[in-house]
Amino acid sequence: AKVSSCVQLCHISWTSDPRDEGFRSLNIEDSWRVPGSICVFLASFDSTTCLYEQFAVISKLPRLGAKVLKVIMPFFPSLTLRAEGGERGRGLMGEIPLSRTLARLLSTIPNAKAGPTELVIFDIHHLQERFYFDDNTVPRLETSMQLIVNRLDLLIEQQMHVSSGHGDVAAGLAGTEAPARSEDARPFPWDQESQEEVLRLRGLGQLTAEESKSLRKILVARRKTDPNAPMIAFSDEKTAKRFGKQFPGFAQVICTRMLKKER
Protein backbone atom coordinates (compact mmCIF):
# COMPACT_ATOMS: atom_id res chain seq x y z
CA ALA A 1 0.00 0.00 0.00
CA LYS A 2 1.15 3.53 -0.79
CA VAL A 3 1.88 5.84 2.11
CA SER A 4 1.51 9.61 1.79
CA SER A 5 4.63 11.70 2.25
CA CYS A 6 2.97 13.54 5.14
CA VAL A 7 2.52 10.28 7.07
CA GLN A 8 5.43 8.86 9.03
CA LEU A 9 5.23 5.23 10.07
CA CYS A 10 6.54 4.30 13.50
CA HIS A 11 7.95 0.89 14.31
CA ILE A 12 6.97 -1.07 17.42
CA SER A 13 8.87 -4.15 18.53
CA TRP A 14 6.84 -6.98 20.03
CA THR A 15 9.37 -9.46 21.41
CA SER A 16 8.63 -12.36 23.70
CA ASP A 17 10.85 -14.19 26.14
CA PRO A 18 9.92 -17.50 27.81
CA ARG A 19 11.28 -16.14 31.07
CA ASP A 20 8.60 -13.38 31.04
CA GLU A 21 5.82 -15.98 31.47
CA GLY A 22 3.96 -14.97 28.31
CA PHE A 23 4.30 -11.18 28.63
CA ARG A 24 5.95 -9.48 25.68
CA SER A 25 8.56 -6.74 25.75
CA LEU A 26 7.12 -3.72 23.96
CA ASN A 27 9.14 -0.82 22.60
CA ILE A 28 8.18 2.16 20.41
CA GLU A 29 11.42 2.46 18.46
CA ASP A 30 10.57 5.84 16.88
CA SER A 31 9.31 7.42 20.09
CA TRP A 32 11.15 10.67 19.28
CA ARG A 33 8.55 11.37 16.57
CA VAL A 34 5.61 11.28 18.98
CA PRO A 35 5.97 14.57 20.93
CA GLY A 36 3.77 17.32 19.45
CA SER A 37 2.49 15.14 16.58
CA ILE A 38 -0.89 13.72 15.55
CA CYS A 39 -0.68 10.01 16.34
CA VAL A 40 -2.99 7.48 14.71
CA PHE A 41 -2.97 3.91 16.01
CA LEU A 42 -4.58 1.17 13.91
CA ALA A 43 -5.92 -1.32 16.45
CA SER A 44 -7.07 -4.87 15.85
CA PHE A 45 -8.78 -6.42 18.85
CA ASP A 46 -9.55 -9.69 17.09
CA SER A 47 -8.28 -11.74 20.02
CA THR A 48 -7.92 -11.19 23.74
CA THR A 49 -4.24 -12.14 23.65
CA CYS A 50 -3.23 -9.00 21.75
CA LEU A 51 -5.70 -6.61 23.41
CA TYR A 52 -3.54 -6.06 26.49
CA GLU A 53 -0.40 -5.36 24.47
CA GLN A 54 -2.07 -2.89 22.10
CA PHE A 55 -3.77 -1.12 25.01
CA ALA A 56 -0.35 -0.72 26.65
CA VAL A 57 1.06 0.95 23.52
CA ILE A 58 -1.98 3.21 23.10
CA SER A 59 -1.75 4.35 26.73
CA LYS A 60 1.94 5.17 26.29
CA LEU A 61 1.48 7.55 23.34
CA PRO A 62 -0.11 10.43 25.34
CA ARG A 63 2.62 10.13 27.95
CA LEU A 64 5.21 10.56 25.21
CA GLY A 65 3.71 13.96 24.39
CA ALA A 66 1.31 13.23 21.52
CA LYS A 67 -0.67 16.34 20.62
CA VAL A 68 -3.65 14.41 19.19
CA LEU A 69 -4.35 10.69 19.53
CA LYS A 70 -6.74 8.79 17.28
CA VAL A 71 -7.40 5.06 17.56
CA ILE A 72 -8.90 3.43 14.47
CA MET A 73 -10.86 0.24 15.10
CA PRO A 74 -11.99 -1.61 11.93
CA PHE A 75 -14.53 -3.43 14.10
CA PHE A 76 -15.76 -3.42 17.68
CA PRO A 77 -15.58 -6.92 19.24
CA SER A 78 -17.53 -8.36 22.18
CA LEU A 79 -20.85 -7.94 20.40
CA THR A 80 -22.40 -11.18 21.63
CA LEU A 81 -22.75 -9.99 25.22
CA ARG A 82 -23.95 -6.41 25.39
CA ALA A 83 -26.69 -6.63 28.08
CA GLU A 84 -26.77 -7.70 31.71
CA GLY A 85 -27.61 -11.34 32.29
CA GLY A 86 -31.20 -12.02 33.27
CA GLU A 87 -32.67 -8.97 31.49
CA ARG A 88 -35.87 -9.52 29.53
CA GLY A 89 -35.96 -13.10 30.70
CA ARG A 90 -32.88 -14.13 28.72
CA GLY A 91 -29.45 -15.21 29.87
CA LEU A 92 -28.11 -15.98 33.31
CA MET A 93 -27.84 -13.49 36.15
CA GLY A 94 -24.07 -13.99 36.26
CA GLU A 95 -23.42 -13.09 32.63
CA ILE A 96 -21.11 -10.11 32.09
CA PRO A 97 -21.65 -7.53 29.29
CA LEU A 98 -18.26 -7.69 27.59
CA SER A 99 -18.97 -4.72 25.30
CA ARG A 100 -19.38 -2.45 28.31
CA THR A 101 -16.21 -3.91 29.83
CA LEU A 102 -14.14 -3.17 26.73
CA ALA A 103 -15.61 0.34 26.49
CA ARG A 104 -14.71 0.95 30.14
CA LEU A 105 -11.15 -0.21 29.46
CA LEU A 106 -10.72 2.06 26.43
CA SER A 107 -12.18 4.99 28.38
CA THR A 108 -9.14 4.92 30.67
CA ILE A 109 -6.74 5.94 27.88
CA PRO A 110 -4.91 9.09 29.05
CA ASN A 111 -5.77 12.37 27.35
CA ALA A 112 -3.43 13.81 24.75
CA LYS A 113 -2.30 17.44 24.86
CA ALA A 114 -5.23 18.63 22.72
CA GLY A 115 -7.90 16.66 24.60
CA PRO A 116 -9.53 13.23 24.85
CA THR A 117 -8.65 10.32 22.60
CA GLU A 118 -10.82 9.89 19.51
CA LEU A 119 -12.01 6.34 18.82
CA VAL A 120 -12.89 5.84 15.15
CA ILE A 121 -15.04 2.68 14.98
CA PHE A 122 -16.18 1.27 11.64
CA ASP A 123 -19.59 -0.37 11.20
CA ILE A 124 -20.50 -0.90 14.82
CA HIS A 125 -23.46 -3.29 14.97
CA HIS A 126 -25.41 -1.54 17.71
CA LEU A 127 -25.49 2.24 17.77
CA GLN A 128 -26.30 2.39 21.49
CA GLU A 129 -22.81 1.12 22.27
CA ARG A 130 -21.46 4.61 21.68
CA PHE A 131 -22.93 5.55 25.07
CA TYR A 132 -20.82 2.91 26.83
CA PHE A 133 -17.74 5.16 26.70
CA ASP A 134 -16.90 7.75 29.33
CA ASP A 135 -15.97 11.39 28.75
CA ASN A 136 -12.25 10.56 28.50
CA THR A 137 -12.80 9.24 24.96
CA VAL A 138 -14.79 10.55 22.00
CA PRO A 139 -16.26 7.73 19.86
CA ARG A 140 -16.76 8.51 16.17
CA LEU A 141 -18.80 6.03 14.18
CA GLU A 142 -17.89 5.54 10.52
CA THR A 143 -18.96 3.06 7.86
CA SER A 144 -17.22 1.36 4.95
CA MET A 145 -20.41 -0.02 3.40
CA GLN A 146 -20.21 2.46 0.52
CA LEU A 147 -16.88 0.91 -0.51
CA ILE A 148 -18.61 -2.49 -0.69
CA VAL A 149 -21.46 -1.03 -2.74
CA ASN A 150 -18.98 0.59 -5.14
CA ARG A 151 -17.21 -2.75 -5.57
CA LEU A 152 -20.49 -4.54 -6.27
CA ASP A 153 -21.44 -1.91 -8.86
CA LEU A 154 -18.08 -2.49 -10.54
CA LEU A 155 -18.77 -6.23 -10.71
CA ILE A 156 -22.15 -5.54 -12.31
CA GLU A 157 -20.53 -3.33 -14.96
CA GLN A 158 -17.92 -5.98 -15.70
CA GLN A 159 -20.66 -8.56 -16.19
CA MET A 160 -22.46 -6.14 -18.49
CA HIS A 161 -19.51 -6.08 -20.89
CA VAL A 162 -19.12 -9.86 -20.78
CA SER A 163 -22.78 -10.74 -21.16
CA SER A 164 -25.09 -9.30 -23.81
CA GLY A 165 -28.39 -10.58 -22.49
CA HIS A 166 -29.77 -7.40 -20.94
CA GLY A 167 -31.61 -6.44 -24.08
CA ASP A 168 -33.28 -9.87 -24.16
CA VAL A 169 -34.33 -9.54 -20.53
CA ALA A 170 -35.90 -6.12 -21.04
CA ALA A 171 -37.65 -7.29 -24.20
CA GLY A 172 -39.03 -10.35 -22.44
CA LEU A 173 -40.47 -8.20 -19.68
CA ALA A 174 -42.11 -5.91 -22.25
CA GLY A 175 -43.43 -8.81 -24.35
CA THR A 176 -41.67 -7.63 -27.51
CA GLU A 177 -39.00 -9.02 -29.76
CA ALA A 178 -35.43 -8.66 -28.55
CA PRO A 179 -33.51 -5.89 -30.33
CA ALA A 180 -30.17 -6.32 -32.01
CA ARG A 181 -27.32 -6.87 -29.60
CA SER A 182 -25.33 -3.66 -29.74
CA GLU A 183 -24.31 -0.97 -27.27
CA ASP A 184 -26.74 1.59 -28.73
CA ALA A 185 -29.65 -0.88 -28.65
CA ARG A 186 -29.44 -1.56 -24.93
CA PRO A 187 -32.35 -0.16 -22.89
CA PHE A 188 -32.00 2.12 -19.89
CA PRO A 189 -29.96 1.87 -17.72
CA TRP A 190 -27.64 -0.11 -20.00
CA ASP A 191 -27.69 2.22 -23.01
CA GLN A 192 -24.63 4.10 -24.19
CA GLU A 193 -25.96 7.44 -22.96
CA SER A 194 -26.39 6.14 -19.42
CA GLN A 195 -22.89 4.65 -19.43
CA GLU A 196 -21.38 7.95 -20.55
CA GLU A 197 -23.32 9.77 -17.83
CA VAL A 198 -22.01 7.37 -15.17
CA LEU A 199 -18.43 7.85 -16.33
CA ARG A 200 -18.84 11.62 -16.41
CA LEU A 201 -20.30 11.84 -12.91
CA ARG A 202 -17.66 9.52 -11.45
CA GLY A 203 -14.93 11.67 -12.97
CA LEU A 204 -16.20 14.83 -11.28
CA GLY A 205 -15.23 13.73 -7.77
CA GLN A 206 -17.33 16.12 -5.66
CA LEU A 207 -20.96 15.87 -6.78
CA THR A 208 -23.88 18.16 -6.15
CA ALA A 209 -27.13 16.85 -4.68
CA GLU A 210 -28.74 16.73 -8.13
CA GLU A 211 -25.77 14.92 -9.68
CA SER A 212 -25.66 12.39 -6.84
CA LYS A 213 -29.36 11.72 -7.29
CA SER A 214 -28.90 11.16 -11.04
CA LEU A 215 -25.99 8.75 -10.51
CA ARG A 216 -27.87 6.87 -7.79
CA LYS A 217 -30.90 6.48 -10.07
CA ILE A 218 -28.86 4.80 -12.81
CA LEU A 219 -26.94 2.51 -10.44
CA VAL A 220 -30.05 1.39 -8.55
CA ALA A 221 -31.78 0.62 -11.86
CA ARG A 222 -28.82 -1.49 -12.94
CA ARG A 223 -28.89 -3.46 -9.70
CA LYS A 224 -32.57 -4.24 -10.20
CA THR A 225 -32.41 -5.19 -13.89
CA ASP A 226 -29.21 -7.26 -13.93
CA PRO A 227 -30.19 -10.92 -13.45
CA ASN A 228 -26.63 -11.71 -12.31
CA ALA A 229 -26.44 -8.92 -9.75
CA PRO A 230 -25.04 -9.99 -6.35
CA MET A 231 -27.49 -10.76 -3.57
CA ILE A 232 -26.97 -9.41 -0.05
CA ALA A 233 -27.45 -11.89 2.82
CA PHE A 234 -27.83 -10.81 6.45
CA SER A 235 -27.25 -13.09 9.40
CA ASP A 236 -30.34 -11.88 11.32
CA GLU A 237 -33.11 -9.29 11.29
CA LYS A 238 -31.21 -6.83 13.48
CA THR A 239 -28.30 -6.76 11.05
CA ALA A 240 -30.69 -6.29 8.12
CA LYS A 241 -32.39 -3.42 9.92
CA ARG A 242 -29.02 -1.82 10.66
CA PHE A 243 -27.38 -2.15 7.22
CA GLY A 244 -30.15 -3.05 4.78
CA LYS A 245 -30.87 0.54 3.73
CA GLN A 246 -27.27 0.96 2.60
CA PHE A 247 -27.77 -1.54 -0.26
CA PRO A 248 -30.63 -0.04 -2.32
CA GLY A 249 -31.61 -1.98 -5.41
CA PHE A 250 -29.95 -5.25 -4.37
CA ALA A 251 -31.99 -8.34 -3.62
CA GLN A 252 -31.67 -9.19 0.06
CA VAL A 253 -31.94 -12.39 2.09
CA ILE A 254 -32.45 -12.41 5.86
CA CYS A 255 -31.44 -15.51 7.81
CA THR A 256 -33.13 -16.55 11.04
CA ARG A 257 -31.25 -18.11 13.92
CA MET A 258 -32.99 -20.82 15.90
CA LEU A 259 -31.58 -22.11 19.17
CA LYS A 260 -32.24 -25.75 19.95
CA LYS A 261 -32.07 -26.72 23.60
CA GLU A 262 -30.21 -29.85 24.50
CA ARG A 263 -32.52 -32.68 25.42
Side-chain angles (χ1 to χ4, degrees):
K2 296 182 179 180
V3 180
S4 175
S5 58
C6 61
V7 177
Q8 298 181 352
L9 299 179
C10 292
H11 300 278
I12 303 175
S13 61
W14 315 74
T15 59
S16 58
D17 192 332
R19 294 173 297 179
D20 295 334
E21 298 181 355
F23 290 92
R24 291 190 179 186
S25 298
L26 309 177
N27 181 34
I28 303 176
E29 299 179 358
D30 302 329
S31 59
W32 55 272
R33 295 180 177 177
V34 176
S37 62
I38 300 176
C39 295
V40 179
F41 186 89
L42 180 59
S44 178
F45 300 146
D46 54 345
S47 65
T48 56
T49 56
C50 62
L51 192 152
Y52 169 80
E53 299 166 355
Q54 295 183 66
F55 178 76
V57 176
I58 295 173
S59 301
K60 182 64 176 180
L61 294 176
R63 298 183 178 276
L64 291 176
K67 181 179 180 180
V68 176
L69 177 58
K70 296 183 180 182
V71 179
I72 299 179
M73 301 175 59
F75 63 94
F76 188 78
S78 307
L79 293 174
T80 53
L81 291 178
R82 57 187 179 275
E84 295 287 350
E87 290 183 352
R88 301 179 182 178
R90 292 182 293 181
L92 303 176
M93 291 301 299
E95 283 185 321
I96 301 173
L98 298 182
S99 296
R100 180 67 181 93
T101 303
L102 179 59
R104 186 184 295 111
L105 177 65
L106 296 176
S107 297
T108 61
I109 298 175
N111 292 345
K113 289 184 177 181
T117 301
E118 183 178 17
L119 297 177
V120 184
I121 307 175
F122 281 85
D123 297 309
I124 194 169
H125 283 69
H126 302 277
L127 297 177
Q128 64 269 23
E129 290 180 344
R130 74 176 79 179
F131 304 110
Y132 291 174
F133 298 90
D134 298 337
D135 295 336
N136 291 337
T137 56
V138 180
R140 194 182 87 193
L141 305 185
E142 298 290 346
T143 180
S144 59
M145 289 300 168
Q146 188 58 44
L147 299 177
I148 300 178
V149 174
N150 295 341
R151 178 59 180 170
L152 295 178
D153 287 333
L154 181 60
L155 293 177
I156 293 177
E157 292 183 6
Q158 293 175 350
Q159 293 176 358
M160 177 190 68
H161 294 292
V162 174
S163 176
S164 60
H166 296 290
D168 299 340
V169 173
L173 295 177
T176 58
E177 185 179 357
R181 293 186 176 181
S182 63
E183 291 295 333
D184 296 334
R186 294 181 184 273
F188 176 85
W190 304 100
D191 56 305
Q192 186 67 22
E193 183 179 355
S194 299
Q195 179 63 16
E196 293 177 355
E197 181 68 8
V198 170
L199 295 178
R200 184 187 71 85
L201 294 175
R202 285 179 173 174
L204 295 178
Q206 190 72 19
L207 302 180
T208 63
E210 193 66 26
E211 292 172 341
S212 299
K213 183 178 180 180
S214 177
L215 178 60
R216 191 182 307 110
K217 178 182 178 182
I218 298 175
L219 296 180
V220 171
R222 288 185 173 183
R223 300 165 191 168
K224 292 181 178 180
T225 57
D226 187 2
N228 298 321
M231 182 177 296
I232 310 300
F234 297 100
S235 58
D236 50 45
E237 294 182 359
K238 292 183 179 180
T239 306
K241 185 178 180 180
R242 171 75 172 84
F243 299 103
K245 295 181 180 179
Q246 302 187 32
F247 296 90
F250 288 103
Q252 300 181 4
V253 175
I254 303 177
C255 301
T256 302
R257 295 181 295 180
M258 300 180 63
L259 301 178
K260 295 183 178 179
K261 296 182 179 180
E262 296 181 359
R263 296 182 178 178

